[in-house]
Amino acid sequence: MYKPPGRGFLVGKSIHAPRQAAAPAVGGLDYLVLGSVYETASHPGGRPIGAGAVAEAAAAATVPVLAIGGVGPGRVSGLLARGAHGVVVKSGVWGADDPARAVTRYLDMLHVEG
C-alpha cells in the first residue's frame, strides 16, 4: 500500500490526460486526480476521457491516481480494476437524497471500513 511521506499533509495535482502522469511531471506530489473520466454535470459539454485513460495513467504514474468525473458507485470497481487507487466524488454525495447513505455506498465499493 502507498505510504505518503511524513510531512503531515498530502500534495496532489489534477490532470486531464494519461501522459501528464509521467514521473517527471509528478515530482514531489503524493497523488494525482484524473478526469473527467465520464460525463458529468459539473463540466457540461466537457469531453470525458474514459476508463481506459485511468489504466494508462496508473501504469505511467509513480503515485496513486484517483479517478473523478461521473463516478457513481457502480463504476468504482471497474476503475479500481483499471488501476485507480480510489475515486473522488462530488455530485454523487452532494446531490444524493441521503448523503450519508451515498458515502456508505462508495465506501462499500472501495471496501473501506469506517
Side-chain angles (χ1 to χ4, degrees):
M1 172 179 253
Y2 175 76
K3 300 246 186 224
R7 41 179 202 251
F9 56 89
L10 300 176
V11 177
K13 179 180 180 180
S14 177
I15 63 171
H16 306 286
R19 72 183 182 300
Q20 295 174 303
V26 299
L29 296 175
D30 298 304
Y31 65 92
L32 298 169
V33 177
L34 174 68
S36 292
V37 177
Y38 303 106
E39 287 187 33
T40 177
S42 65
H43 291 85
R47 187 166 184 228
I49 58 175
V54 174
E56 290 178 50
T62 57
V63 296
V65 174
L66 306 172
I68 190 171
V71 180
R75 291 179 162 162
V76 172
S77 62
L79 292 168
L80 296 177
R82 287 177 174 84
H85 188 78
V87 299
V88 177
V89 297
K90 185 174 99 177
S91 60
V93 173
W94 287 356
D97 291 334
D98 184 347
R101 180 167 152 72
V103 168
T104 299
R105 288 188 64 211
Y106 280 103
L107 292 174
D108 287 346
M109 296 306 298
L110 290 166
H111 306 290
V112 174
E113 295 184 21

